[in-house]
Amino acid sequence: MNSAPRSEIVRSRCFDAFEREFVRSPEILVRAPGRVNLIGEHTDYTQGLVLPCAIDREIWVAVAARSDGRVRAHAVDFRGDASADSGQTLEFKMDGVHPGGGFDDYVCGVIAALLEADVQIAGCDIAIASDLPMGAGLSSSAALCVALCHGMLATQGLTPDARDVARLAHRAESHFVGVQCGILDQFAVALGSRDHALRIDCRSQESEPVPFPGRDLSILISDSGVKRKLAAGSGEQDAGTGYRERVAQCTAALAAVVEMSDEFAPAQSLRDVEADWLPSLEPEMDPVVFRRLRHVVRENERVDACVAALSRAAGPDLEAVGNILNAGHASLRDDYEVSIPELDVLCEEASRVDGVYGSRMTGAGFGGSALHLVRSDAVVPAREEIGARFRARFGRTPTMLIVKASDGATVESPSRS
Ligand code: GLA
């Protein structure tokens, strides 16, 4: 378990809030981290490759079962999330679960996914605390769904495989909350491993840990401050429309590829499209759809190039890793068109700062955060300088976090500790 003091503080806040609010002790405590994706963006919903890390910013959930068909959920704090004010408690009946646009959607979504999977939930009390920024592209919603799934299953004495929990959380988020996302976030949150990134093959759903050289290389995240949410109907930047449009363009790209020739016809997904097909596809395809396709094909290649650079027998090639990140950002900006000026400036300015190997936007885009990989002995001054350069352009300081590659979700039956 992650024993960082920060983690302990959030854990206690969660535990205390549960006892205060429900006047009894929780049966289960779950810690679920956020994630940052090193490379492999917008590839998961076309069965591609991704390379995320779980990070040491997390959501804690305390749960105890009820038997009266009621659910009470108390969000002690969701940093920066307007939809879940400090101290808010929601109460509803199990048979009345409907998406309403707030954080209770995730609670309802998880309950619906569990009932669908024949898990007999008859109600529960839940407290939630977090130090994971919301809407910053760090998968706070996946962390919440994974934590709730683990917690509710554990109250039933069930301890399923982390992959199954990730799949249930994915169903909760995509079916009930209404986001047709891939499996990147939930797998990273559920299966992350300390000091490692995770190469996930979204076709086979197999994953393998890839050593991350955290002593030499630090992960710096800068939040553009442009909040975005994939779920429809939120007041924040509606990334949902852009995201759905990209999913549809990938579907159109596959249809165009398959129709093009007998050689390409067997392709089942964009994962099957080979890079050396691109020159013959380009003149025949709609230019926008072709650029989306080119991003996906090259991005899958970048994941394996990055794994190779991190795993070199002679030690990780950090310059190569940085260049791969920079190329990934250019492709998201120019071919996939999901970046925004604030993220472009963060990446561009960071490239002029000492110790920065590479930068890219991370997550769905349309807002959220940029990720910088920085030489560890230079990360604190780099954070100051990137912040100052951003301030000079936009007149405000971005929130910046230095994070570590951490373990995925963990479950405990608490004593007060
Ligand atoms: C969001 C989605 C993921 C993935 C990324 C883009 O985080 O939830 O499934 O598609 O965007 O890589």
Side-chain angles (χ1 to χ4, degrees):
M1 202 192 86
N2 185 340
S3 58
R6 185 187 311 105
S7 186
E8 285 303 315
I9 292 167
V10 186
R11 179 191 183 280
S12 301
R13 230 168 30 220
C14 185
F15 190 102
D16 294 347
F18 189 98
E19 287 198 325
R20 209 175 38 244
E21 191 65 19
F22 304 123
V23 201
R24 59 174 176 151
S25 295
E27 293 161 16
I28 303 294
L29 270 175
V30 187
R31 173 199 139 267
R35 68 96 188 93
V36 70
N37 192 17
L38 296 183
I39 194 78
E41 213 67 86
H42 285 282
T43 51
D44 61 346
Y45 47 84
T46 50
Q47 303 196 354
L49 301 172
V50 295
L51 189 67
C53 295
I55 60 173
D56 56 346
R57 295 295 189 284
E58 49 210 29
I59 288 180
W60 281 82
V61 165
V63 192
R66 296 174 65 94
S67 53
D68 60 356
R70 300 194 76 78
V71 176
R72 295 185 295 176
H74 179 72
V76 63
D77 62 332
F78 270 138
R79 246 176 46 182
D81 184 8
S83 71
D85 292 333
S86 195
Q88 182 180 5
T89 302
L90 296 155
E91 190 163 348
F92 48 87
K93 281 200 177 139
M94 295 268 302
D95 54 8
V97 292
H98 300 294
F103 88 96
D104 47 323
D105 280 0
Y106 296 103
V107 179
C108 296
V110 167
I111 291 172
L114 292 176
L115 291 175
E116 231 175 81
D118 277 335
V119 179
Q120 301 307 316
I121 306 283
C124 52
D125 287 337
I126 302 165
I128 304 165
S130 164
D131 72 348
L132 176 63
M134 306 280 142
L138 302 177
S139 287
S140 51
S141 56
L144 180 57
C145 289
V146 166
L148 290 169
C149 277
H150 262 308
M152 291 188 208
L153 287 164
T155 61
Q156 304 302 303
L158 300 169
T159 50
D161 180 74
R163 271 189 175 65
D164 291 334
V165 173
R167 288 187 195 108
L168 279 167
H170 178 257
R171 180 164 326 158
E173 201 165 346
S174 57
H175 290 194
F176 198 79
V177 184
V179 184
Q180 298 308 316
C181 55
I183 61 165
L184 160 65
D185 304 339
Q186 295 79 11
F187 270 60
V189 168
L191 290 150
S193 138
R194 191 180 178 155
D195 298 329
H196 289 80
L198 200 66
R199 177 190 183 275
I200 306 167
D201 180 331
C202 300
R203 179 163 58 188
S204 65
Q205 301 195 349
E206 297 284 312
S207 60
E208 79 185 80
V210 177
F212 183 85
R215 248 201 0 209
D216 304 322
L217 191 61
S218 289
I219 302 171
L220 174 63
I221 295 168
S222 37
D223 183 352
S224 68
V226 180
K227 296 232 174 284
R228 97 291 173 282
K229 211 168 178 183
L230 290 186
S234 77
E236 295 168 343
Q237 172 94 8
D238 177 17
T241 307
Y243 191 91
R244 278 189 292 278
E245 188 184 63
R246 299 305 179 281
V247 175
Q249 287 163 335
C250 286
T251 307
L254 180 64
V257 169
V258 165
E259 269 178 23
M260 199 82 66
S261 75
D262 287 350
E263 188 196 351
F264 304 158
Q268 303 276 316
S269 72
L270 296 192
R271 175 71 179 283
D272 298 324
V273 177
E274 296 184 17
D276 61 10
W277 300 0
L278 292 174
S280 47
L281 289 168
E282 183 166 12
E284 307 296 328
M285 284 177 69
D286 172 88
V288 173
V289 173
F290 175 76
R291 282 191 281 117
R292 306 297 189 247
L293 171 69
R294 181 167 59 193
H295 165 76
V296 172
V297 172
R298 298 272 186 235
E299 188 79 350
N300 283 328
E301 292 186 325
R302 278 188 283 272
V303 171
D304 275 337
C306 193
V307 170
L310 285 169
S311 318
R312 255 186 8 158
D317 184 344
L318 302 183
E319 299 286 349
V321 171
N323 291 336
I324 292 165
L325 259 64
N326 292 337
H329 184 78
S331 180
L332 288 163
R333 183 190 60 210
D334 302 336
D335 272 358
Y336 221 66
E337 296 179 285
V338 290
S339 189
I340 55 169
E342 287 84 346
L343 292 170
D344 294 340
V345 164
L346 282 166
C347 294
E348 188 188 304
E349 292 295 342
S351 71
R352 308 192 173 107
V353 172
D354 178 50
V356 176
Y357 288 107
S359 304
R360 58 181 285 273
M361 51 151 279
T362 184
F366 309 102
S369 297
L371 144 80
H372 316 279
L373 290 183
V374 190
R375 216 175 60 233
S376 287
D377 64 7
V379 70
V380 172
R383 180 181 59 188
E384 301 312 311
E385 196 172 335
I386 296 168
R389 284 169 178 263
F390 183 88
R391 193 164 51 246
R393 298 282 287 270
F394 292 102
R396 60 189 167 84
T397 309
T399 305
M400 302 183 84
L401 301 175
I402 299 168
V403 299
K404 289 193 168 63
S406 299
D407 282 331
T410 46
V411 182
E412 56 178 285
S413 304
S415 60
R416 184 60 192 84
S417 92

